[in-house]
Amino acid sequence: MQSSTTYQELSNSYSSQIRNLFLAPENVGIGEEMRSGSAVPLQTLVERAEALAETSQQLGESTTTYLSDETASTSQQEAAEMKLLAQAIAELETAQALLESAEDAKRDIKRGKIPVGSDEPSRGVKINPRVQASIENSAIIVETPIEAGVPLFSSDDSKRSGLPSDLTGAKTTLQRTVESSLRAICKDTSRVAWRAINDLLLMDAAAMRQGLAFVSKDAAQLIDQMVEGAGSFILRLVKTAIRLLGQAYNWVRAILGQEIEAEGRKQVGGWLDELKQDGSEEGLFGKLVPQIYKTAVIQTELQGLLESTQADITQINQATEVVDSLAKRHQAKAKQVEQLLIVLAFIKKIPALKTPQGTVIIAAVTTGITCYILYLGNDHIKNGQIVLNEHFSFRIPDRVVGVRETVEKALGIVLLPTSNTTPG
């Protein structure tokens, strides 16, 4: 495993760079607005962004090693997952701000404020308060030591008070907690996944198909097609923004594993074709998610196991606390995924990404997010194989001790794998 000290230094460097990216240097001396410290010169922004992209690549690649390192603990892998999500959010936010700055500079060229091909900065760049707040939240997660895990929720929230002191009450409480946690995980998954899927369903079919086969190296080949009439200075800004978009996409892919994510994208593409034909709606999709995760089977199994288990009150109550916390942990991660989709909604409105090439990039990132949120719910409930609409099946990583496995361990019974229908 890599040195934790070196990794932490890299994490701190990234957090510092992305926090300071849009902060104006002291004594810039270009106009009153600059001297007030409310904006950063465009040229300075480009130089900082290019340095950030380099640090981002190093940090993301270092974080992904924890996901495949057999010596890494489960808590470290879960923390690595959250760090990659936070990094993806920060980089999508940054890419949006850079592309908007490039659009402003291009408008200045058209208005004659900057000579065509000039490298002179056109103006100071201000950061949107929403973007700065989002970046700050991501920076906090990134810089948290991986050994400490990620502060997904208050530690006080993971402890339930007033747990039963009698065996019958403990069993009843566990059963109810399993039911409520499964319902909460499915609800969060349904809400976020449907948002992603609905975005995909509304996209141009050709662009979406290209997005399903997209790889990050394709982004570099699209840059020249996306930038017209821009000088080298603005081109550097756009190149860095597209690079950050591609890296954000890579971090989402890394969480699942690139081969698994690629297979998942193909299968989600087939599933989307079915949804288009069936005219599926959000409510119907919400009913479909519990079927994908086999929650009814898990609850039926639990009822029978509670009747035969020899586990004591302490073991059962501890399982209740863990199951309850699983729903909270899933909710925190689902909110991160939803934030990714919110940022994408802003990004795709930028003219440079309204092009066919830009749509391909957005489709690829959105499809990766769709795969991830479906994996996330499955990992917090059970493990192994995920089946989409009984037609598309792929194996996924198992990084969280989910609801089913928690109950299994607490009750001291080895469960058979939940049945799945594998395509023939």
Side-chain angles (χ1 to χ4, degrees):
M1 184 183 293
Q2 62 193 311
S3 165
S4 59
T5 301
T6 302
Y7 177 74
Q8 189 59 45
E9 289 173 351
L10 187 57
S11 298
N12 292 342
S13 175
Y14 174 86
S15 296
S16 176
Q17 286 182 55
I18 203 158
R19 279 193 176 106
N20 295 330
L21 183 62
F22 297 99
L23 296 184
E26 295 180 1
N27 305 318
V28 173
I30 305 179
E32 185 61 33
E33 184 181 36
M34 289 296 190
R35 287 195 292 273
S36 70
S38 59
V40 60
L42 191 60
Q43 185 171 359
T44 301
L45 177 61
V46 172
E47 292 168 353
R48 289 176 177 177
E50 288 174 340
L52 173 68
E54 287 294 327
T55 304
S56 163
Q57 184 170 343
Q58 295 174 36
L59 177 61
E61 290 173 353
S62 294
T63 304
T64 60
T65 62
Y66 283 95
L67 299 179
S68 58
D69 192 331
E70 294 181 357
T71 64
S73 66
T74 301
S75 64
Q76 285 179 324
Q77 290 190 334
E78 190 173 7
E81 229 178 89
M82 284 300 293
K83 286 174 180 290
L84 287 170
L85 281 177
Q87 194 174 339
I89 291 171
E91 283 159 24
L92 287 177
E93 295 278 23
T94 300
Q96 175 197 347
L98 295 180
L99 288 170
E100 288 176 341
S101 299
E103 291 294 334
D104 289 342
K106 286 168 67 177
R107 278 192 289 270
D108 283 349
I109 290 175
K110 290 182 179 179
R111 294 168 183 167
K113 293 183 179 181
I114 310 176
V116 174
S118 171
D119 280 349
E120 292 298 320
S122 59
R123 65 180 71 193
V125 178
K126 292 182 180 180
I127 185 66
N128 183 305
R130 181 200 66 78
V131 174
Q132 189 64 52
S134 177
I135 287 174
E136 175 61 26
N137 289 337
S138 294
I140 290 172
I141 293 176
V142 169
E143 69 189 3
T144 301
I146 199 161
E147 293 79 10
V150 178
L152 302 178
F153 51 89
S154 168
S155 58
D156 293 338
D157 292 339
S158 63
K159 297 293 183 182
R160 289 182 51 150
S161 58
L163 288 171
S165 57
D166 65 288
L167 188 59
T168 300
K171 289 181 177 181
T172 300
T173 300
L174 175 59
Q175 192 165 18
R176 289 175 178 171
T177 303
V178 167
E179 181 181 354
S180 63
S181 293
L182 292 176
R183 184 168 57 248
I185 292 170
C186 288
K187 182 179 179 180
D188 288 337
T189 300
S190 298
R191 184 187 74 254
V192 180
W194 177 254
R195 180 170 188 159
I197 287 170
N198 194 49
D199 287 347
L200 290 170
L201 290 172
L202 295 174
M203 285 184 183
D204 175 75
M208 191 183 75
R209 281 195 298 272
Q210 285 182 272
L212 291 171
F214 183 87
V215 292
S216 58
K217 67 179 181 181
D218 293 337
Q221 300 171 1
L222 297 176
I223 292 175
D224 290 340
Q225 303 171 46
M226 295 174 65
V227 183
E228 295 179 3
S232 61
F233 186 76
I234 297 175
L235 183 59
R236 284 171 62 192
L237 197 67
V238 175
K239 279 185 175 181
T240 304
I242 299 300
R243 179 179 176 182
L244 289 171
L245 273 174
Q247 289 178 181
Y249 170 61
N250 279 343
W251 311 148
V252 174
R253 293 182 75 199
I255 294 173
L256 285 170
Q258 294 189 4
E259 291 183 3
I260 295 172
E261 190 269 346
E263 180 64 23
R265 280 188 289 126
K266 292 178 185 176
Q267 295 178 348
V268 168
W271 196 35
L272 288 169
D273 288 339
E274 285 202 356
L275 289 172
K276 281 185 176 182
Q277 294 172 8
D278 295 344
S280 297
E281 300 177 355
E282 183 175 3
L284 180 60
F285 181 76
K287 295 177 181 178
L288 178 63
V289 169
Q291 295 175 24
I292 293 173
Y293 297 153
K294 308 290 185 183
T295 57
V297 174
I298 293 172
Q299 291 180 69
T300 300
E301 288 177 338
L302 173 60
Q303 185 173 359
L305 294 172
L306 284 172
E307 294 174 358
S308 60
T309 184
Q310 299 300 310
D312 59 28
I313 295 174
T314 301
Q315 292 171 308
I316 294 175
N317 282 341
Q318 286 176 345
T320 298
E321 289 184 338
V322 173
V323 169
D324 188 50
S325 73
L326 278 166
K328 294 184 174 72
R329 286 157 61 192
H330 179 270
Q331 181 184 52
K333 295 175 190 176
K335 285 181 178 179
Q336 289 289 90
V337 179
E338 194 165 26
Q339 182 62 28
L340 279 170
L341 293 169
I342 290 171
V343 180
L344 282 174
F346 283 105
I347 288 178
K348 66 184 180 183
K349 295 178 181 178
I350 297 172
L353 291 177
K354 285 184 177 180
T355 61
Q357 297 82 14
T359 304
V360 170
I361 296 174
I362 297 298
V365 178
T366 306
T367 306
I369 292 172
T370 304
C371 292
Y372 175 68
I373 190 62
L374 290 169
Y375 144 74
L376 188 67
N378 193 81
D379 197 26
H380 283 70
I381 289 176
K382 50 192 184 74
N383 55 34
Q385 195 171 36
I386 184 169
V387 178
L388 304 179
N389 207 19
E390 300 295 345
H391 291 291
F392 305 98
S393 175
F394 57 97
R395 298 201 66 78
I396 61 174
D398 180 21
R399 299 196 184 102
V400 175
V401 178
V403 172
R404 190 168 186 269
E405 191 176 353
T406 296
V407 171
E408 170 188 348
K409 290 181 176 180
L411 301 184
I413 299 172
V414 178
L415 303 179
L416 295 174
T418 300
S419 60
N420 281 301
T421 301
T422 303

